[in-house]
């Protein structure tokens, strides 16, 4: 990576274990001013990456959580007709009913555009929305401007935000969408990497707990009758739970006695299935 | 410049676009790329937009920049097939020996490596798909391995069906790269569930109808009147009928059941019934198919708005479907051929689909699939198929 004077470089954050490859991709995307599309299993740290970028570059983070029925305009701005209707009826607010602009609220993308400093814009789980939303949104991000129809005004980005987009889908996104992003797929961390990640969160964790917990965790991930496999987040919470328990002995885990399954498996069906699986394994 | 590299990628089947290539040039000219490592990550992030192509990209990159041998995909494929055969051989030597038309004993004297070689040679001889023949693995034939064309109860005296091995080996290898349209597995569960979630047209009265609110407010002389809309329709009832009678269905039954169980909360009512190969007088509520029979005729009393989802490979001997006493169980002799029962079900529940784990391109080879397809709209049991099935079920 060459140091181009004014270009800020991302090198990791305090609570995030970054691999070199991903760091390079983030930096290239930032200097090319292209959105970075991250795919990968839940729990591989896609969302965390955006937090880490924001932290290390000291930029504010704006998160747009995409919902399935979301319209693009909601992400840009909102014209609050109901409040205006209410104000016009009761007239007891400080807003000026005749000024539509008073009733325009910026959505997440809008906020990133009008922010006074460069921001990190995280668009989380883009795959939830339909294709039209995705394509239209990239148009906006490409041009770095959008119109507010109600007041006939164009909002232009003051600073081009660093855009990180995440997707859980196994299905590919549309071609025009992909064409405008850089792409990276984050693989689920291997046990070695996981150890690093855990030690970032628990700097003084006992080695025995660490090894046993991680080994058990990967074994539990192999159960294939569960819908949602436990991910990094669950592992960290689980270790926290194990630490809190004064009666817990790391040896228990190797014998197939696994406490706090509910921290790892959060769907009742999964919980039951995993429990059955473990008790069956114990018999052998 | 790397124009040649770009074309190599495209030749290999990675859909890299010229725009992306220009972006890469931009990155190069900006001096962002100073080492081969940088170039590797940058070119991959910019040119390759799907993790499915990562492996291919890696191979090509190594080939282009390090002069590594391009792996011969053809022989790799064969290698893995042979290995799969070897695995099967260890489990069930007889079936494999029969598949090759040789004596079990004559293969026994080989070491595993030799066996591998032997299988590979035989596989190379067999370079194309084979359907309806009698020598090799395929469908609808009389070869001891392959699927359909058997009386399902004839071959089996308990235990695993021997057919499974061959189909497993032959199919698994060849559809390896079609994972998206391939049959449903546990790993694609979440994705499939998302498709199924579209089956829900219900909702509380929670949408503000702005137009109507303004109109009513005006009518009310400015007194605010907010009108809420309910999203139409009630929650769905779903009947799931699963063929759990055959070897071919075994891997899919748990997947389908888990899938629908997870989606249960969004249905008003989910009932699961089981049958073997096709439906005669009765279906069963218990998977072992003897405790709780349910008369098919009684379905007439159920709500016709119920969505009927049949899951089965629809592969059987034609007479099982057509003959009046076609059932493979002697106790079921009602005089109505199964196909009439299926028609009855399809007429009772106009919103119906049939999900079939057999890949769609194989359907024409099995007569009963074609026949059942005329009664039920049939979809492949895959993510794409499920999507189509949900659309079909929701169509008015």
């Amino acid at each position: 990576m060459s140091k181009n004077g004014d270009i800020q470089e991302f090198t990791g954050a305090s609570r995030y274990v970054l691999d070199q490859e991903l760091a390079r991709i983030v930096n290239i995307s930032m200097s090319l001013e292209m959105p970075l599309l991250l795919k990968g299993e839940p729990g591989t740290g896609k969302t965390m990456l955006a937090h880490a970028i924001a932290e290390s570059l000291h930029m504010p983070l704006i998160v747009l959580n995409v919902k399935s029925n979301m319209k693009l305009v909601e992400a840009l701005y909102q014209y609050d007709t109901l409040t205006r209707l209410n104000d016009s009826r009761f007239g007891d607010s400080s807003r000026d009913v005749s000024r539509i602009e008073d009733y325009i609220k910026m959505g997440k993308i809008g906020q990133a555009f009008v922010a006074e400093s460069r921001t990190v814009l995280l668009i989380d789980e883009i795959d939830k929305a339909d294709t039209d939303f995705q394509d239209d949104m990239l148009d906006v991000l490409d041009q770095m401007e959008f119109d507010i129809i109600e007041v006939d005004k164009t909002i232009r980005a003051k600073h081009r935000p660093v855009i990180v987009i995440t997707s859980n889908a196994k299905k590919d996104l549309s071609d025009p969408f992909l064409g405008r992003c850089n792409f990276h797929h984050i693989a689920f961390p291997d046990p070695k990497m996981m150890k690093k990640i855990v030690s970032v969160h628990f700097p003084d964790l006992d080695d025995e707990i660490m090894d046993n917990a991680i080994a058990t965790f990967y074994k539990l991930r192999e159960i294939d009758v569960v819908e949602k496999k436990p991910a990094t987040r669950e592992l960290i919470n689980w270790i926290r739970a194990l630490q809190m328990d004064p009666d817990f002995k790391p040896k228990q885990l190797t014998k197939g006695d696994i406490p706090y399954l509910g921290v790892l498996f959060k769907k009742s069906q999964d919980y039951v299935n995993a429990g059955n699986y473990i008790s069956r394994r114990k018999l052998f | 410049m790397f124009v040649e590299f770009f074309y190599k990628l495209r030749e290999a089947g990675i859909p890299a676009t010229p725009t992306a290539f220009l972006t890469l040039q931009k990155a190069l000219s900006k001096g962002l790329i100073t080492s081969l490592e940088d170039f590797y990550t940058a070119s991959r992030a910019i040119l390759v937009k799907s993790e499915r192509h990562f492996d291919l990209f890696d191979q090509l990159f190594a080939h282009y920049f390090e002069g590594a041998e391009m792996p011969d995909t053809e022989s790799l494929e064969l290698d893995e097939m042979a290995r799969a055969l070897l695995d099967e051989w260890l489990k069930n030597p007889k079936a494999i020996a029969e598949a090759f038309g040789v004596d079990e004993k004559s293969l026994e004297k080989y070491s595993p490596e030799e066996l591998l070689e032997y299988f590979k040679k035989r596989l190379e001889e067999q370079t194309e798909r084979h359907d309806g023949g009698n020598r090799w693995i395929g469908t609808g034939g009389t070869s001891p391995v392959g699927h359909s064309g058997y009386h399902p109860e004839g071959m089996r005296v308990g235990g695993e069906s021997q057919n499974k091995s061959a189909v497993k080996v032959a199919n698994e290898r060849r559809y390896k790269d079609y994972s998206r349209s391939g049959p449903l597995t546990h790993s694609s569960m979440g994705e499939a569930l998302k498709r199924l979630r579209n089956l829900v047209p219900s909702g509380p009265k929670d949408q503000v109808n702005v137009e109507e609110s303004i109109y009513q407010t005006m009518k009310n002389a400015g007194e605010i009147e907010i009108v809420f809309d309910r999203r139409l329709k009630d929650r769905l009832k779903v009947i799931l009928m699963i063929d759990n009678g055959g070897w071919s269905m075994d891997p899919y039954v748990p997947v389908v059941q888990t899938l629908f169980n997870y989606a249960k909360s969004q249905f008003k009512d989910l009932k699961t019934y089981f049958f073997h190969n096709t439906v005669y007088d009765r279906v069963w509520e218990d998977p072992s198919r003897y405790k709780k029979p349910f008369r098919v005729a009684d379905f007439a009393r159920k709500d016709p708005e119920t969505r009927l989802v049949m899951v089965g490979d629809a592969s059987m001997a034609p007479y099982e479907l057509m003959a009046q006493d076609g059932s493979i169980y002697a106790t079921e002799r009602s005089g109505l051929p199964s196909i009439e029962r299926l028609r009855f079900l399809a007429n009772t529940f106009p919103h119906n689909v049939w999900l079939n784990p057999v890949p769609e391109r194989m359907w024409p080879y099995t007569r009963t699939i074609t026949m059942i397809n005329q009664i039920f709209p049939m979809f492949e049991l895959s993510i794409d198929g499920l999507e189509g099935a949900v659309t079909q079920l929701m169509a008015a």
Side-chain angles (χ1 to χ4, degrees):
Chain A
M1 212 38 234
S2 69
K3 285 224 176 6
N4 275 22
D6 59 327
I7 294 178
Q8 285 171 287
E9 204 173 314
F10 174 58
T11 49
S14 58
R15 303 268 274 174
Y16 187 83
V17 181
L18 180 78
D19 74 322
Q20 278 313 302
E21 190 179 33
L22 186 51
R24 270 201 292 272
I25 291 174
V26 170
N27 286 322
I28 284 211
S29 301
M30 281 197 319
S31 27
L32 285 176
E33 303 188 324
M34 280 171 82
L36 173 61
L37 171 66
L38 290 173
K39 268 169 66 170
E41 256 187 85
T44 43
K46 299 185 293 293
T47 311
M48 283 303 290
L49 176 70
H51 288 266
I53 296 175
E55 189 196 324
S56 83
L57 301 184
H58 306 292
M59 293 181 192
L61 174 70
I62 296 175
V63 183
L64 171 67
N65 285 305
V66 178
K67 295 183 190 72
S68 58
N69 53 358
M70 205 174 220
K71 299 263 165 3
L72 178 65
V73 93
E74 286 170 44
L76 302 176
Y77 68 94
Q78 229 178 351
Y79 171 34
D80 194 347
T81 40
L82 273 185
T83 310
R84 188 163 180 236
L85 198 62
N86 188 64
D87 284 355
S88 71
R89 171 71 185 80
F90 300 108
D92 54 358
S93 80
S94 56
R95 287 176 286 256
D96 180 358
V97 179
S98 59
R99 264 172 57 95
I100 295 179
E101 269 170 66
D102 282 5
Y103 297 93
I104 303 266
K105 285 183 194 152
M106 282 298 158
K108 295 293 179 186
I109 294 180
Q111 285 172 22
F113 280 14
V114 297
E116 288 305 321
S117 62
R118 200 173 182 203
T119 55
V120 177
L121 175 61
L122 167 66
I123 299 168
D124 217 357
E125 305 192 39
I126 183 81
D127 51 303
K128 278 190 188 162
D130 54 16
T131 348
D132 286 349
F133 176 91
Q134 296 165 4
D135 292 349
D136 295 350
M137 190 189 73
L138 271 191
D139 273 337
V140 171
L141 296 184
D142 227 21
Q143 325 250 300
M144 279 293 144
E145 62 177 42
F146 63 87
D147 298 326
I148 299 179
I149 305 160
E150 282 82 356
V151 290
D152 200 15
K153 207 172 120 185
T154 305
I155 301 287
R156 220 167 258 118
K158 290 188 184 151
H159 305 273
R160 204 177 181 102
V162 177
I163 303 168
V164 177
I165 303 171
T166 75
S167 162
N168 284 328
K170 293 202 177 66
K171 226 176 161 145
D172 282 344
L173 299 161
S174 71
D175 285 342
F177 188 96
L178 292 172
R180 288 171 196 181
C181 307
N182 291 332
F183 172 76
H184 185 61
H185 178 264
I186 306 184
F188 196 83
D190 57 3
K192 233 167 106 193
M193 184 75 173
M194 188 56 92
K195 226 170 145 172
K196 267 197 212 158
I197 296 172
V198 172
S199 48
V200 167
H201 288 261
F202 304 97
D204 36 49
L205 186 70
D206 185 56
D207 267 357
E208 197 181 6
I209 303 188
M210 165 99 87
D211 291 341
N212 285 348
I214 289 181
T216 313
F217 172 75
Y218 277 92
K219 232 178 263 165
L220 288 173
R221 274 180 59 84
E222 277 167 24
I223 306 179
D224 57 2
V225 286
V226 298
E227 190 211 335
K228 194 184 172 308
K229 291 189 174 177
T232 319
R233 190 185 305 131
E234 277 79 27
L235 174 68
I236 286 167
N237 286 338
W238 187 53
I239 294 181
R240 193 168 293 144
L242 294 179
Q243 270 190 323
M244 299 286 231
D245 183 354
D247 296 332
F248 169 74
K249 304 266 177 309
K251 282 240 155 42
Q252 271 174 268
L253 294 177
T254 45
K255 287 183 202 132
D257 176 11
I258 301 168
Y260 311 119
L261 263 190
V263 180
L264 292 171
F265 297 96
K266 295 182 180 155
K267 304 213 165 181
S268 49
Q269 199 79 29
D270 284 352
Y271 181 79
V272 173
N273 287 347
N276 287 344
Y277 178 84
I278 293 161
S279 56
R280 226 182 308 140
R281 284 279 301 272
K282 244 193 289 184
L283 293 177
F284 290 108
Chain B
M1 281 299 284
F2 305 110
V3 177
E4 199 188 329
F5 178 59
F6 172 68
Y7 279 99
K8 277 253 156 55
L9 287 179
R10 287 184 62 92
E11 263 168 46
I14 297 173
T17 60
T19 329
F21 185 61
L22 288 178
T23 313
L24 182 64
Q25 297 301 327
K26 199 168 132 201
L28 281 166
S29 65
K30 274 193 166 187
L32 296 171
I33 296 168
T34 49
S35 69
L36 193 60
E37 262 191 336
D38 281 347
F39 184 73
Y40 169 76
T41 35
S43 56
R44 199 185 65 189
I46 294 170
L47 295 174
V48 188
K49 303 295 166 96
S50 169
E51 68 275 19
R52 277 180 299 153
H53 298 130
F54 274 13
D55 184 45
L56 199 55
F57 177 84
D58 283 353
Q59 291 173 15
L60 252 162
F61 193 88
H63 170 66
Y64 191 83
F65 288 99
E66 322 258 310
E69 282 282 310
M70 252 320 261
D72 185 351
T73 42
E74 194 90 338
S75 69
L76 197 77
E77 194 94 324
L78 274 177
D79 248 16
E80 287 189 31
M81 256 180 108
R83 200 161 282 281
L85 271 172
L86 184 68
D87 281 348
E88 277 310 310
W89 159 262
L90 293 172
K91 274 186 238 149
N92 192 350
K94 203 158 168 225
I96 298 290
E98 272 176 21
F100 286 101
V102 289
D103 191 24
E104 191 186 336
K105 294 248 161 42
S106 69
L107 283 180
E108 255 168 22
K109 56 180 191 277
Y110 291 117
S111 73
E113 283 73 33
E114 283 170 331
L115 262 180
L116 211 59
E117 273 311 300
Y118 177 81
F119 288 149
K120 245 165 95 176
K121 249 214 220 108
R122 291 299 301 259
L123 284 168
E124 264 161 29
E125 282 166 29
Q126 153 86 12
T127 46
E128 60 205 41
R129 267 202 74 83
H130 209 91
D131 290 310
N134 65 358
R135 291 269 317 162
W136 186 244
I137 305 167
T139 56
T142 58
S143 153
V145 277
H147 85 157
S148 75
Y150 269 117
H151 190 297
E153 294 283 280
M155 278 284 290
R156 235 169 314 137
V157 194
E160 283 279 307
S161 150
Q162 300 184 10
N163 297 7
K164 171 84 195 194
S165 58
V167 176
K168 202 171 137 210
V169 172
N171 280 355
E172 265 179 8
R173 295 306 341 147
R174 294 183 193 192
Y175 301 109
K176 182 173 129 210
D177 295 326
Y178 297 81
S179 53
R180 234 173 76 198
S181 50
L184 224 50
T185 58
H186 277 286
S187 57
S188 43
M189 190 86 88
E191 201 59 20
L193 211 54
K194 238 180 257 165
R195 302 292 176 281
L196 219 55
R197 296 237 151 99
N198 291 335
L199 263 178
V200 74
S202 70
K205 249 189 174 184
D206 60 352
Q207 286 182 334
V208 178
N209 186 332
V210 177
E211 303 278 289
E212 190 63 21
S213 296
I214 293 171
Y215 178 76
Q216 288 299 338
T217 306
M218 292 305 130
K219 242 188 138 183
N220 233 352
E223 199 67 35
I224 288 183
E225 181 81 44
I226 296 172
V227 182
F228 289 94
D229 273 350
R230 182 194 293 282
R231 272 168 265 164
L232 294 170
K233 287 183 194 166
D234 199 9
R235 293 209 297 172
L236 296 173
K237 291 180 199 164
V238 174
I239 292 183
L240 183 62
M241 283 197 201
I242 302 177
D243 169 6
N244 68 341
W247 52 269
S248 51
M249 287 302 297
D250 282 348
Y252 304 106
V253 173
V255 179
V256 171
Q257 268 189 294
T258 326
L259 185 63
F260 275 83
N261 272 330
Y262 275 120
K264 209 174 188 169
S265 57
Q266 73 193 53
F267 305 135
K268 195 173 183 184
D269 188 30
L270 171 68
K271 272 255 167 11
T272 309
Y273 299 95
F274 297 92
F275 61 95
H276 184 175
N277 275 359
T278 178
V279 177
Y280 301 97
D281 305 357
R282 270 161 286 166
V283 288
W284 284 264
E285 286 174 54
D286 59 314
S288 44
R289 279 179 278 111
Y290 71 95
K291 278 186 221 137
K292 286 192 208 146
F294 190 92
R295 270 163 37 89
V296 170
D298 290 342
F299 278 114
R301 294 208 308 267
K302 299 253 176 188
D303 182 357
E305 279 299 298
T306 306
R307 267 58 175 176
L308 174 65
V309 181
M310 309 284 293
V311 184
D313 59 6
S315 307
M316 64 203 95
Y319 77 83
E320 286 182 54
L321 195 61
M322 307 302 285
Q324 291 196 353
D325 51 358
S327 173
I328 49 177
Y329 296 106
T331 49
E332 287 187 312
R333 293 288 182 260
S334 67
L336 264 188
S338 171
I339 195 154
E340 288 303 321
R341 293 291 186 195
L342 292 180
R343 275 200 194 110
F344 165 78
L345 281 176
N347 289 337
T348 313
F349 304 110
H351 301 285
N352 56 55
V353 288
W354 188 294
L355 294 173
N356 196 333
V358 177
E360 188 164 356
R361 50 176 235 161
M362 317 260 286
W363 293 355
Y365 298 109
T366 309
R367 264 182 67 199
T368 48
I369 294 187
T370 324
M371 285 190 287
I372 290 177
N373 199 358
Q374 285 163 6
I375 303 174
F376 291 100
M378 198 177 279
F379 295 90
E380 201 179 292
L381 185 58
S382 64
I383 295 194
D384 290 346
L386 211 57
E387 199 169 331
V390 167
T391 317
Q392 170 78 24
L393 285 172
M394 294 318 299

